[in-house]
Amino acid sequence: MKKNNFTRRQFIAGVSVGSIAAAASTSIPVLGNISHSLNESGKLALLGGEPVVKSKIWPAWPYVDEKMVEAIIKTTRSGIWCRIQSSTGTVPTFESEYSKLMGAKFTVATGSGTQALHTCVEALGIGPGDEVITSPYTDMGTIASIISSRALPVMADLDPESFQLDPNEVERRITENTKAIMPIHIMGQPCNMERIMAIAKKHNLRVIEDACQAHLGEYQGKILGTIGDLGCFSFQTTKTIACGEGGAIIGNNEELMDKCYTVQNHGTNRKGRSETIGPKYRMNEFEGAILLAQLESAKERFLLRNKNAAYLSSKLKNFPGLVPQKLYEGTQSGSFYLYTMSYKKEHFNNATRNQFLKALAAEGISMSGYIPNGLHKEPWTDHILNLKVYQKMYSPARLQQYREELTYPKCDQVCEDMVMLWASGPLLGTQGDMDDIISAIMKVHANRDQLNRL
Ligand SMILES: *Cc1c(COP(=O)(O)O)cnc(C)c1O
């Protein structure tokens, strides 16, 4: 299907009044030409001026179509609600279709991304006394998957331009007990997998890719999730392929993937023998049905998000006030779970991020920060350091060092400067919508001297 047809047909319901107006206008902001655009002159809407966009309605998220609704009805009527009732049910079928889409040999579906990650930790035999290196700038599910196995999540600081794990920081945190690295493809963009895989190889570590935000992104010819030993995805409602709560593990090693199946099936293997420790994390057939029904069109939405993101980034290219997430060499595409930028207040008359966001919202474009604090600032660190099992399995010196090293200045800076646009929704809009976003930013910038009056 041609992208244009798709945009019109699938998203016509979501096209906003504002975007039609913008499409009709010839005044698309170009940097260096800011003062020439009508929208950008005058008074900030927050101070009584005319807003750039009136009542913006973004394409709705989650994505729903009749095919998905019919799939749920069909599953309800079939009476096959649990994956073990049928080898041709929606979950086993989803697993084989997802493998094809991702270019992986095997998929094991789970009830969430957190469950997928925890299954991998268990399946790799990682437990008390072991350490896993990951990022403090992620969903709590990443950390939960490690502490659920009573292993130690060792966080490494970020590359402040890409918001991703800094490979040098990862290497610095390796100890004799490190068993794995769990890199996050944050915002759905590839992290520096070339360096991370090289470090893993050098130190004989396993790699579990947290691709929970990164469906279909590509790096150096490989789909994210297929580069490390195992890759995990989330299908929670906000994610770019969604079923409410759901997850999946992909991989090419049959033995390891069978182990993942066994772990998530309360330790019971495909032949019915109960052989290991495992929770019950099976995906149900309703989740399988709604996922299967959206896989085909998910690719089109992925292409549209990439197109719109590239357009926004091209418009912001020479603008120093908002700097889009840095993409590593080898990035071919990203999932664009979120479209993110660093806010540089020195280019906005030193206005705080909140002042900027308030002014932008009044112009009709809502953006926000993302994770307010790195996960090293949450109380779980105290909790595990005081737990008997951690005090038994790790030396007092190691736990003391762990506590002392809970400072991540680059992560703190990223949390403070982050400005994000939801990608499922806004990034499924039209080019006119993208122009509206840029116009609102440029208007606030052009009138930045008014920001300190807010
Ligand atoms: C969403 C998410 C998870 C957890 O997935 P759930 O399905 O919510 O359990 C883990 N890591 C990252 C980076 C995520 O965005």
Side-chain angles (χ1 to χ4, degrees):
M1 197 188 290
K2 280 194 215 99
K3 266 186 246 162
N4 284 348
N5 286 347
F6 168 72
T7 310
R8 263 173 212 283
R9 279 229 325 258
Q10 306 282 325
F11 297 105
I12 198 79
V15 170
S16 69
V17 177
S19 70
I20 290 165
S25 141
T26 52
S27 160
I28 292 167
V30 178
L31 286 162
N33 196 18
I34 288 170
S35 56
H36 293 221
S37 169
L38 262 180
N39 274 344
E40 289 146 10
S41 57
K43 219 178 192 184
L44 288 176
L46 205 58
L47 296 172
E50 193 67 13
V52 172
V53 188
K54 284 179 196 133
S55 64
K56 176 66 98 186
I57 301 162
W58 299 108
W61 193 262
Y63 172 81
V64 180
D65 66 17
E66 280 312 299
K67 202 174 157 192
M68 293 160 80
V69 174
E70 277 160 26
I72 288 294
I73 294 170
K74 198 172 152 203
T75 295
T76 308
R77 292 213 167 106
S78 76
I80 301 199
W81 294 358
C82 164
R83 68 165 299 160
I84 62 166
Q85 286 176 264
S86 165
S87 61
T88 58
T90 63
V91 176
T93 309
F94 170 72
E95 287 176 336
S96 62
E97 290 301 313
Y98 200 69
S99 297
K100 275 188 225 157
L101 188 65
M102 294 291 148
K105 284 197 184 133
F106 307 99
T107 297
V108 171
T110 61
S112 73
T114 307
Q115 294 176 9
L117 290 162
H118 179 220
T119 299
C120 295
V121 171
E122 277 293 325
L124 288 169
I126 297 166
D130 296 333
E131 302 184 10
V132 178
I133 299 178
T134 191
S135 168
Y137 193 69
T138 180
D139 185 87
M140 189 55 196
T142 311
I143 300 290
S145 75
I146 301 166
I147 58 181
S148 293
S149 287
R150 305 301 190 264
L152 191 65
V154 175
M155 293 164 284
D157 212 353
L158 309 182
D159 171 344
E161 292 177 15
S162 67
F163 323 138
Q164 310 270 16
L165 265 181
D166 177 344
N168 293 331
E169 293 291 323
V170 170
E171 195 155 28
R172 207 165 66 76
R173 302 268 173 168
I174 294 172
T175 72
E176 58 182 13
N177 294 319
T178 306
K179 291 291 184 303
I181 306 172
M182 195 181 275
I184 326 296
H185 300 298
I186 200 76
M187 322 303 179
Q189 315 310 319
C191 62
N192 190 344
M193 283 307 281
E194 187 172 322
R195 287 282 319 281
I196 286 168
M197 292 309 288
I199 292 166
K201 197 167 168 202
K202 184 170 151 199
H203 298 272
N204 193 27
L205 305 175
R206 310 308 288 265
V207 174
I208 304 167
E209 290 177 73
D210 181 341
C212 284
Q213 302 185 352
H215 320 73
L216 286 164
E218 245 181 286
Y219 174 80
Q220 294 184 345
K222 288 185 175 165
I223 296 197
L224 299 179
T226 66
I227 304 168
D229 295 281
L230 294 163
C232 293
F233 295 85
S234 166
F235 307 121
Q236 185 267 340
T237 303
T238 62
K239 306 295 158 88
T240 57
I241 297 177
C243 68
E245 302 282 2
I249 305 159
I250 62 173
N252 292 323
N253 178 328
E254 187 165 16
E255 200 185 335
L256 184 54
M257 288 300 287
D258 274 343
K259 224 171 187 172
C260 288
Y261 179 88
T262 302
V263 168
Q264 64 84 45
N265 191 36
H266 51 44
T268 303
N269 69 19
R270 291 186 193 273
K271 294 187 180 120
R273 301 303 303 272
S274 300
E275 58 182 25
T276 190
I277 298 172
K280 192 176 169 215
Y281 282 168
R282 295 195 300 241
M283 177 180 277
N284 72 52
E285 290 280 301
F286 298 99
E287 292 161 341
I290 206 160
L291 287 170
L292 252 185
Q294 73 191 269
L295 273 194
E296 207 183 309
S297 61
K299 187 114 194 202
E300 291 162 6
R301 287 186 289 281
F302 162 83
L303 293 171
L304 183 57
R305 285 193 306 277
N306 271 272
K307 184 175 148 225
N308 279 332
Y311 184 77
L312 286 177
S313 295
S314 75
K315 292 282 169 189
L316 293 171
K317 200 166 163 213
N318 299 312
F319 180 61
L322 286 177
V323 181
Q325 179 180 19
K326 178 181 97 182
L327 305 180
Y328 288 110
E329 211 180 307
T331 299
Q332 288 164 289
S333 55
S335 190
F336 287 100
Y337 172 60
L338 306 173
Y339 183 86
T340 54
M341 297 150 275
S342 292
Y343 172 70
K344 304 288 182 192
K345 69 174 181 204
E346 61 274 25
H347 296 286
F348 283 92
N349 197 25
N350 280 327
T352 65
R353 177 180 64 173
N354 274 352
Q355 285 174 319
F356 166 73
L357 289 173
K358 259 171 88 178
L360 194 67
E363 299 301 336
I365 298 294
S366 281
M367 291 198 205
S368 65
Y370 182 35
I371 299 167
N373 289 304
L375 294 177
H376 57 290
K377 293 193 165 166
E378 297 292 330
W380 65 269
T381 54
D382 271 337
H383 176 72
I384 66 163
L385 290 171
N386 291 327
L387 270 187
K388 266 205 184 112
V389 62
Y390 279 85
Q391 289 173 355
K392 270 190 187 157
M393 298 310 301
Y394 303 86
S395 70
R398 179 66 186 103
L399 294 183
Q400 179 63 24
Q401 182 199 18
Y402 186 86
R403 197 185 283 281
E404 281 165 9
E405 288 183 351
L406 286 173
T407 55
Y408 301 90
K410 306 262 173 57
C411 175
D412 296 343
Q413 186 198 325
V414 168
C415 290
E416 210 178 298
D417 297 345
M418 171 66 53
V419 173
M420 70 152 212
L421 185 69
W422 281 104
S424 295
L427 237 60
L428 295 175
T430 61
Q431 187 167 308
D433 287 332
M434 301 307 112
D435 286 328
D436 284 347
I437 292 166
I438 296 294
S439 295
I441 293 169
M442 294 312 156
K443 179 179 169 189
V444 174
H445 181 258
N447 296 286
R448 60 193 175 280
D449 59 320
Q450 295 166 32
L451 285 172
N452 56 14
R453 286 198 255 143
L454 302 180

